[in-house]
Every structure is written in C-alpha cells, then in structure tokens.
Amino acid sequence: MARRSDIMLKGYERAPHRSLLKADGFTDIELNRPIIAIANSANDIVPGHIHLKTLVEAVKAGIYMAGGTPVEFNTIAVDDGIAMGHLGMHYSLPSRENIADAVEIMISAHPVDGLVILPACDKIVPGMMMAAARVNIPTIMISGGPMLAGRYRGTDIDLAKTFEGVGKYISGDISEDELLEIENISCPSCGSCSGMYSANSINCISEVLGLSLPGNGTMPAPLSARVRLAKIAGMKIVDLIEKNIKPRDILTLDAFKNAICADMAMGCSTNTVLHLLAIAQEAKVDLNLDMFNEISDKVPDLCSFSPVGPYHLQDLDEAGGMMALLNEVDKLGILNRDCVTVTGKTIYENYKDAKVYRREVIRPVDDPYYPKGGLSVLKGNIAPYGSVLKQSGVDESMNYFVGKARVFDSEEESLKAIFNKQIQKGDVIVIRYEGPAGGPGMKEMLQPTSAIAGMGLDKDVALITDGRFSGATRGLSIGHISPEAYVGGLIGLIEEGDKIEIDVNKKTINLLVDDETINERKKNFKPKEPKITTGYLARYSKMVDQAHKGAVLKS
C-alpha cells in the first residue's frame, strides 16, 4: 500500500531526502516503516507540560513496538495562569492559531504518514486538534493529563482557591500567612490545573469526539497509567494508518453533538464553546451557537466540579471516567452511538460496558446537580450574535438580575475598582475592548471574577465582557459577547449607570435603554484602538473573526 511518506522517500530521485534523514541517524529499516510525527508541546514553564518529555518517550516506544518510526517536533505553549492579569494574557488565545499553523507547516513540509498530538493545557489542546482536522492525516491525541488536587486543612483545593484567596486577603478574611499556605499547596503536581477548567474540559471532550483514547481526559498526570496510555496511543496510530482512519472521518457533526452533550453533563468551561466552534470549522462541520442551547435544554448537569463544586478530575477518573459519564447520558436517548473513534470501535462500543463507581461524582440523569446543561448561550440587544454563561455556576437568586452598569474599558481598570472596594451590591461590571480584535486576543477575566467571589460578592454582582473567562470562573459572569465593542457592538455604547437586565432562564441579556437614546449614542461612537498595535497581535487583530464564530483567523 502506498504511503504518504513515499513522496519524500521512494525512488532514486529521493536519494538526497533519504540522505538528510540518515544524517538524523535513521536507518533504511526505519525509513521503510510508517513515518509518524509527534507534535510535542513540552517546556519548562507550564506545569501541564513539564512532564511531556517523559510521555513523548512512551509514545515513541509504542510506535516502535507497533512497527512505525517516530519523528518529534515541538510547538509553543502558554500558561494561562502565569499569563493572567498582565500583557501576557493578550497572547493566550492567539497562540492557539500559531500552534495550529505550526503543526500544519511541519506536517505539510514533511509528508509523514501519521500524527500524534501531545498537548496538555488551555489553547494548546484545541490548537493541535484544529491542526489535526486541517491536515487530515491519521491522528491520535494523548494529553498530559490533569494535576492532582491540593489538600488544605483536610479539604481538596486547586488554583481557583489561590485566585479567590487574593480577594479574601483584601477583605481581611484570611491573613498573609494563610494566603501563602494556600499558594504553596494548591498546585501540588505536574498536569493541567485539577478542576473542570478549560484544559481539562477540552481534554475530556476529546474522548467523546473520538480523537483520543478512553482515559485521556481524566487519568492524573503523575500516574504511571498515563505513561502506559501514551504507549498504547503510540501503537494505535500505526493501526489508524493501516486502516486509513482520518480526523474528518471522526470529527463529524454527530460527534460534535455528542461532545456538546458531555460538555453540558460535566459543567465545562465556557471556553469549550469557542474551541469546539473553531475545531468544527477546520473539520468542515457546520456547528453554531444555537446547537449548544438546544442540547443544554435536553442534557442536565450531572457533575459538580471545581470551581462550582467540590470535586476534581481525579474524582471523575475514580468514578469511571468519561465513558461512565457517557453511559449515563446515553439513558436520555440523544447520543449518536455510531460515531467512529481512534480505538477503531464506535463511541458506543467504547462506553457501553462502563460503570459509575461514585454516584456523588456522576449523578443519575433523573437526579442531576442542575436540571439543564452546565452552559447556555444568552442573546439580546447587548449580544445579538450570542454570549456564553456557565449557568450551573450561578446562584439561583441571580437567575433574574437587573443591575447598574459600572463600565470599564479594560480588565486592569475593573480590577482597580474591585480591589479599592468601589463595586457595590447590585452592580453589573462591564469590561469591554477585551474582545478578539479589540483586546486584542480576548483575554480571560479570572482575576476580576475570583476577586468578586473572594470578597463574597458573587451572589450580588454580575460581570459581562466581550472578553472571556477562565474555566475557574463562577457566578453570573457572561463572556464572549458578540459583536465586541471594537467592531461597533452595543457593549461599546453602554454608559455608567445604565440598567442591564439578565434573565438566565429566558437566556436573554439586554440594555434597558430606549432605541432613540441608543441611536443617538451610535452617531457619536468611535471605538478605541487595540491596546497593542505591533507584532503578532497587530496582525491577529486585523484577521480574527468574532467570538460566535470561534475567534478563528479569517481565511
């Protein structure tokens, strides 16, 4: 059978190509096997990636065991937590596009037979999945896995508690020594932060999409079981090449609908909406925001993971993992059972025998934590194209909220007001000019939401933004408002003191200002320029699409 790598390896005219590969140390025997690229994102900065150097060796071993030849290259990786609250956060979401482009470049320039993607954290996972769909050669994903939870005075904690601890310290609820104690133990191991944040959300969803093996999203990063899974992934890619199973065979509309079902049942990060839309575009699948609401109304939230509840990814793993969750969701009769996966079996064959071992972690469909899905899309005059809310993280008392607008043209301005205790009960914090183009980069707003929660205002204050939120965010926090202020969205016309109405049950968000006044404001409206106008972000700002389209670069 002809292989993709034949075009760089076969025939007398490819003697120079083989010569260069032999300079790398490859033998004729290795060059006659399937050539499999490994896109590794290891670095010494990101805790989710520091152990990928070990996992990549396991992947290589698996490839060799199955008769293939591995070739490794690397991509960048940004740590959202470390980038938070300063210039660095502008670069987080744009790095997703850089990673997708880098993988495409390497795979297109060097025609290998298969691909293993090895990500871990927030934007690296969807970036590599986007690339897999774009290049469409046999691909499997094995991620770095979740971090273990920390233990603070007998209770499991994680990074969100450190962010919220800053607010508690400012309010005088904890001492500086207590904050330091939390800081020292909230992130106790390698891996992506242990709650159901953005990275863990999309890693779990990758199992449901069918692009990774069962266990990929939940096996804790430090366990030897993940090394074994990496070896199996290395072996499995050779099988996928032989069977010619490609990402677009797996990433169908039905698979994306299954993924949204799981998303809703777990109460995942709002960022999954942005990333699923982006991956779907690369897979040539027509996915839109309305589909999220349709499924959210049918699938209840069966889980209560941090930051909303007490459980972490290691608890989900112990409870039976994603396949056990799917087996429970299957009782609703809405999963598409016949979707192809990298196991070579259908998704139903993967989950049909899985059992739930901890019912407090995965509840029955008739006794959920929340009656609807974890996420919802809100629309109205502020967000005619949509906005995203983690509704399972909202206190019931806030399901209908009318508040006074407190307007800030950057995250930094809002933080000053919050830390100086200028935000009062009944306020709606409006953070604008943080969208994909206007930010640029659509920054995460974990610091403001964590400070609000830490100061005990999360049941009295709402926050809306054309930026986005970390998976560690909870409360009435509405992001991804589209269109953004920079392109003339109504969020740019909100003035201090305006009334804003949010109805979680009706899925609406509206500015309570008459049309005549709004039209008058439009006449004088001139958007602010992006905060960064040079380098990569300047190019990104000119090319990026709006959030309701996944904030991908326009072709």
Side-chain angles (χ1 to χ4, degrees), residues 129-411:
M129 292 172 74
M130 289 165 65
R134 188 185 301 176
V135 300
N136 200 36
I137 66 172
T139 302
I140 192 168
M141 174 173 136
I142 171 70
S143 69
M147 183 183 289
L148 295 172
R151 292 287 291 175
Y152 177 66
R153 301 181 182 181
T155 302
D156 285 349
I157 68 165
D158 53 47
L159 182 64
K161 294 301 180 185
T162 309
F163 275 101
E164 291 179 11
V166 175
K168 289 181 181 293
Y169 172 69
I170 292 171
S171 296
D173 293 333
I174 63 173
S175 67
E176 187 174 356
D177 287 343
E178 287 172 306
L179 180 59
L180 179 60
E181 185 180 353
I182 293 169
E183 171 189 328
N184 285 338
I185 61 177
S186 62
C187 296
S189 75
C190 62
S192 45
C193 298
S194 55
M196 191 56 75
Y197 309 148
S198 302
N200 289 330
S201 294
I202 201 72
N203 276 319
C204 286
I205 285 173
S206 73
E207 292 186 40
V208 186
L209 282 171
L211 206 59
S212 65
L213 296 171
N216 177 71
T218 60
M219 284 183 184
L223 299 191
S224 298
R226 183 158 290 276
V227 176
R228 296 194 294 271
L229 191 70
K231 289 180 181 178
I232 295 170
M235 291 186 278
K236 185 59 67 174
I237 185 60
V238 178
D239 183 53
L240 292 173
I241 293 168
E242 291 173 357
K243 294 177 179 176
N244 198 32
I245 297 175
K246 300 176 182 177
R248 290 186 207 167
D249 301 323
I250 294 169
L251 299 173
T252 63
L253 180 58
D254 283 344
F256 278 99
K257 288 180 177 179
N258 284 347
I260 297 171
C261 286
D263 194 335
M264 296 304 166
M266 289 188 291
C268 288
S269 165
T270 53
N271 282 317
T272 57
V273 177
L274 202 67
H275 298 323
L276 285 172
L277 290 169
I279 297 165
Q281 286 196 52
E282 297 290 359
K284 312 298 183 186
V285 170
D286 186 16
L287 192 68
N288 60 65
L289 281 177
D290 291 336
M291 294 179 187
F292 287 84
N293 268 351
E294 291 168 10
I295 294 173
S296 179
D297 287 339
K298 297 174 183 177
V299 180
D301 188 346
L302 307 181
C303 305
S304 186
F305 296 114
S306 178
V308 175
Y311 301 111
H312 294 83
L313 268 291
Q314 65 203 64
D315 296 302
L316 179 55
D317 195 55
E318 291 172 7
M322 290 305 299
M323 296 304 108
L325 178 78
L326 286 183
N327 208 1
E328 185 63 36
V329 173
D330 187 66
K331 295 174 183 177
L332 297 170
I334 63 173
L335 289 179
N336 301 287
R337 292 178 163 187
D338 297 328
C339 296
V340 177
T341 73
V342 291
T343 65
K345 302 175 183 177
T346 65
I347 190 67
Y348 177 68
E349 289 174 313
N350 287 349
Y351 71 69
K352 65 183 178 69
D353 296 322
K355 293 180 174 59
V356 177
Y357 297 106
R358 291 180 60 185
R359 271 298 176 193
E360 77 279 15
V361 178
I362 303 174
R363 281 192 174 178
V365 291
D366 57 0
D367 183 28
Y369 278 101
Y370 190 80
K372 294 186 177 182
L375 304 180
S376 67
V377 174
L378 278 58
K379 291 186 177 182
N381 63 1
I382 291 178
Y385 299 152
S387 59
V388 184
L389 167 70
K390 183 183 266 192
Q391 61 183 356
S392 60
V394 179
D395 187 81
E396 191 174 341
S397 65
M398 297 282 282
N399 279 347
Y400 180 79
F401 187 81
V402 177
K404 182 179 68 174
R406 301 296 311 280
V407 182
F408 304 96
D409 288 342
S410 70
E411 178 195 18

Side-chain angles (χ1 to χ4, degrees), residues 48-68:
H49 293 243
I50 55 172
H51 63 305
L52 296 186
K53 300 168 187 177
T54 298
L55 286 186
V56 76
E57 294 307 316
V59 173
K60 289 178 181 178
I63 292 170
Y64 272 122
M65 284 191 285

Side-chain angles (χ1 to χ4, degrees), residues 81-93:
I82 298 172
M84 196 80 64
H86 57 82
L87 174 68
M89 182 44 68
H90 287 282
Y91 287 87
S92 174
L93 183 61

Side-chain angles (χ1 to χ4, degrees), residues 457-495:
L457 291 172
D458 53 308
K459 296 180 183 178
D460 302 292
V461 171
L463 192 156
I464 70 172
T465 180
D466 51 11
R468 58 195 176 89
F469 296 114
S470 163
T473 294
R474 58 188 171 94
L476 189 54
S477 303
I478 301 166
H480 304 205
I481 286 177
S482 184
E484 62 179 295
Y486 177 66
V487 300
L490 187 63
I491 190 173
L493 301 179
I494 299 173
E495 294 185 0

